[in-house]
């Protein structure tokens, strides 16, 4: 579908990226980290024609993948602390999300367990979503935006100006949640959630007319006396015939890997905001449904594609393309991924209050951990269901922090850091050390020009430890390090 679009527009396709670029790209996108030296060497030595597919499957089965994608869902499901202290609910919900990814829980089941959550966090961790998203309007708006790609907030007060949804549509959708209540348990900070069984309804905000529950563009639902209305909402939402559910997730994951959604923003799939390639979105959504809502199968479909594996360098034939995927669009590393990458390159791990040593930033159970680095590089606060909370834009504060902040200088100059260890290591040549640094930072060996310049610089410095600190500093501040490309 992409090739057909490019041909119709007369846009050329960039060639396939080299192995080193692919391995770094897929490791960042699937595991939220750069590849290890061992992984790079093993991949280089692998002569199998399907070694890229093998790498994808290995990463999908890794703990790092579970950590990284748990963090992604953790943020947009608003798993955040209140009152400054990390609570049991935060930990339990994060762990439940992570375990769902490890088990490759079907997406429809994952969503259903959140929507129909009842009881306490201890017995059913997705209840934490109801504790964070506190009223009926917010719940239905979050559910529609997260799982259906429909921003229906405007329809609460008036007919949606850019969509066909009316106040009646909004009220009928919210009716599924009107029976949800909370009651205090042993811990007043973590109330239990329950839904009264039986009929549910809502009133039209203008006419006062009683409206029965109904999905968007769907028939009214008869709620039995012993039914939880939310289960009917989940039935409609996760049905293979639902026109929004599979497309919303396919578009969200396409953007994660390709840097730009087929629909932008990724959770605004209204009629007046059509996809750049409708045939591709339809085909991906159908594949997703046919797989039984298998998230890893969808990831594998995207990651093994020729589109994803294109080189990021533009050619004269596609230099003006910004939305047709004629090449891979470089992406700035997310705040947590960048901090972890710097920690690994400098061998100076960041310590997070209350967490065991060595915990990666991408594996933190919520976004409430104090870190100026994560804040300045755009970590979201997790106050909305929109991934737009995460800022990927560059700014002066980021540049200054990398160039001369105390935090970065301490990582470079630590007595147990990589620069100190390299300076003290007399068993290896400087060339071997530089090659290792480039492998860790960029997933490749330096070219002849880079190697010659770096070796010359190290040899010309009397203080070898400072020389390696300077080399590390230059790698961290390079665009190649700061981007997934």
């Amino acid at each position: 579908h992409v090739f057909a679009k490019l041909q119709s527009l007369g846009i050329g396709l960039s060639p396939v990226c080299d192995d080193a670029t692919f391995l770094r790209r897929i490791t960042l996108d699937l595991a939220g980290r750069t590849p290890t030296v061992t992984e790079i060497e093993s991949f280089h030595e692998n002569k199998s024609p399907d070694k890229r597919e093998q790498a994808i499957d290995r990463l999908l089965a890794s703990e790092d993948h579970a950590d990284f994608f748990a963090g992604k869902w953790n943020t947009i499901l608003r798993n955040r602390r209140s009152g400054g202290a990390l609570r049991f609910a935060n930990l339990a919900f994060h762990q439940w999300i992570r375990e769902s990814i490890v088990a490759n829980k079907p997406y429809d089941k994952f969503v259903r367990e959140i929507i129909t959550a009842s009881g306490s966090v201890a017995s059913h961790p997705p209840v934490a979503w109801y504790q964070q998203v506190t009223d009926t309007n917010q719940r239905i708006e979050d559910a529609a935006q997260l799982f259906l790609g429909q921003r229906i907030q405007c329809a609460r007060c008036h007919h949606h100006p850019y969509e066909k949804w009316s106040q009646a549509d909004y009220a009928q959708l919210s009716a599924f949640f009107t029976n949800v209540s909370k009651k205090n348990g042993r811990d007043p900070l973590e109330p239990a959630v329950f839904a009264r069984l039986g009929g549910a309804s809502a009133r039209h905000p203008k006419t006062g007319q009683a409206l029965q529950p109904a999905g968007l563009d769907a028939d009214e639902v008869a709620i039995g006396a012993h039914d939880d209305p939310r289960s009917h909402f989940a039935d409609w939402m996760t049905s293979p015939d639902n026109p929004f559910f599979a497309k919303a997730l396919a578009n969200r994951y396409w953007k994660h890997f390709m840097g730009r959604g087929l629909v932008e923003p990724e959770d605004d799939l209204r009629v007046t905001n059509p996809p750049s390639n409708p045939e591709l979105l339809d085909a991906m959504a159908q594949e997703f449904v046919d797989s039984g809502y298998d998230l890893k199968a969808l990831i594998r479909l995207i990651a093994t594609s020729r589109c994803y594996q294109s080189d990021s360098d533009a050619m004269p034939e596609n230099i003006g393309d910004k939305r047709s995927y004629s090449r891979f669009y470089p992406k700035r590393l997310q705040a947590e991924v960048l901090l972890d990458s710097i920690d690994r390159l400098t061998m100076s791990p960041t310590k997070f209050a209350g967490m065991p040593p060595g915990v990666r930033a991408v594996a933190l159970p919520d976004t409430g951990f104090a870190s100026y680095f994560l804040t300045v590089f755009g970590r979201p606060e997790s106050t909305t269901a929109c991934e737009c909370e995460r800022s990927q834009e560059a700014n002066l504060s980021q540049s200054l922090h990398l160039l001369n902040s105390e935090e970065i200088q301490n990582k470079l100059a630590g007595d147990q850091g990589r620069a100190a260890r390299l300076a003290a290591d007399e068993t290896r040549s400087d060339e071997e050390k530089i090659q290792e640094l480039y492998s860790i930072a960029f997933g490749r060996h330096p070219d002849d020009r880079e190697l010659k310049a770096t070796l010359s610089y190290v040899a010309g410095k009397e203080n070898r430890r400072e020389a390696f600190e300077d080399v590390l500093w230059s790698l961290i501040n390079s665009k190649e390090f700061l981007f997934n490309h």
Side-chain angles (χ1 to χ4, degrees), residues 258-272:
M258 299 300 297
R260 178 183 174 85
L262 293 163
V263 177
E264 282 288 343
E266 69 272 15
D267 52 11
D268 192 12
L269 276 64
R270 53 189 155 83
V271 174
T272 51

Side-chain angles (χ1 to χ4, degrees), residues 134-415:
T134 54
D135 65 69
T136 299
N137 289 333
Q138 203 172 52
R139 287 165 185 163
I140 199 60
E141 289 169 11
D142 271 31
Q145 186 169 344
L146 264 174
F147 305 126
L148 302 171
Q150 300 296 310
R151 297 185 176 188
I152 63 169
Q153 293 89 328
C154 292
R156 186 198 303 186
C157 303
H158 50 260
H159 195 290
H160 198 302
Y162 304 115
E163 187 54 279
K164 60 183 178 180
W165 309 130
S166 66
Q167 287 181 283
D169 293 321
Y170 184 101
Q172 288 188 287
L173 203 61
S174 67
F176 288 110
F177 286 84
T178 55
N179 285 6
V180 178
S181 299
K182 296 180 183 178
K183 59 183 177 182
N184 288 333
R186 294 180 179 178
D187 185 348
L189 294 177
E190 295 178 3
V193 171
F194 69 97
R196 298 188 307 278
L197 304 182
S201 65
R203 293 196 175 275
H204 193 290
K206 286 188 176 178
T207 67
Q209 175 189 0
L211 299 172
Q212 298 305 305
L216 298 174
D217 271 348
D219 296 331
E220 292 183 355
V221 177
I223 308 295
H226 302 288
D227 293 347
D228 180 344
R230 299 174 303 165
S231 65
H232 288 274
F233 176 68
D235 289 342
W236 164 76
M237 188 163 58
T238 62
S239 166
D241 298 324
N242 187 298
F244 315 111
F245 185 66
K247 285 183 182 178
L249 190 281
N251 188 58
R252 187 182 294 277
Y253 270 33
W254 178 263
K255 180 173 182 176
H256 174 87
F257 288 94
M258 299 300 297
R260 178 183 174 85
L262 293 163
V263 177
E264 282 288 343
E266 69 272 15
D267 52 11
D268 192 12
L269 276 64
R270 53 189 155 83
V271 174
T272 51
N273 186 31
S276 59
N277 194 323
E279 296 81 8
L280 174 57
L281 185 56
D282 290 344
M284 278 201 302
Q286 190 59 53
E287 286 273 350
F288 186 42
V289 171
D290 292 345
S291 73
Y293 297 105
D294 187 326
L295 288 169
K296 289 187 178 180
L298 179 65
I299 290 173
R300 194 177 291 108
L301 177 70
I302 297 171
T304 57
S305 71
R306 171 67 174 80
C307 302
Y308 179 75
Q309 296 184 28
S310 293
D311 200 274
S312 61
D313 286 342
M315 308 185 303
E317 296 88 350
N318 63 20
I319 195 167
D321 172 40
K322 300 289 180 62
R323 53 179 292 174
S324 297
Y325 311 102
S326 60
R327 62 183 186 275
F328 183 84
Y329 304 135
K331 305 171 290 190
R332 288 181 65 86
L333 299 189
Q334 294 179 9
E336 300 91 332
V337 176
L338 180 58
L339 180 56
D340 289 340
S341 299
I342 292 172
D343 287 357
R344 182 163 164 264
L345 182 60
T346 60
M347 296 184 72
S348 300
T350 301
K351 297 179 176 62
F352 297 100
M355 299 302 292
V359 171
R360 295 195 301 157
V362 298
L364 293 173
D366 80 347
T367 58
F369 290 86
S371 168
Y372 178 77
F373 184 102
L374 295 179
T375 299
V376 80
F377 278 90
R379 177 187 60 181
E381 294 299 316
S382 200
T383 57
T384 72
C386 184
E387 290 203 60
C388 59
E389 264 198 61
R390 180 179 293 282
S391 172
Q392 295 290 86
E393 299 299 317
N395 58 55
L396 182 59
S397 296
Q398 295 170 357
S399 298
L400 292 174
H401 193 74
L402 291 176
L403 287 168
N404 59 15
S405 71
E406 184 179 355
E407 180 179 13
I408 297 299
Q409 294 304 316
N410 287 340
K411 288 181 180 298
L412 294 170
D415 290 337

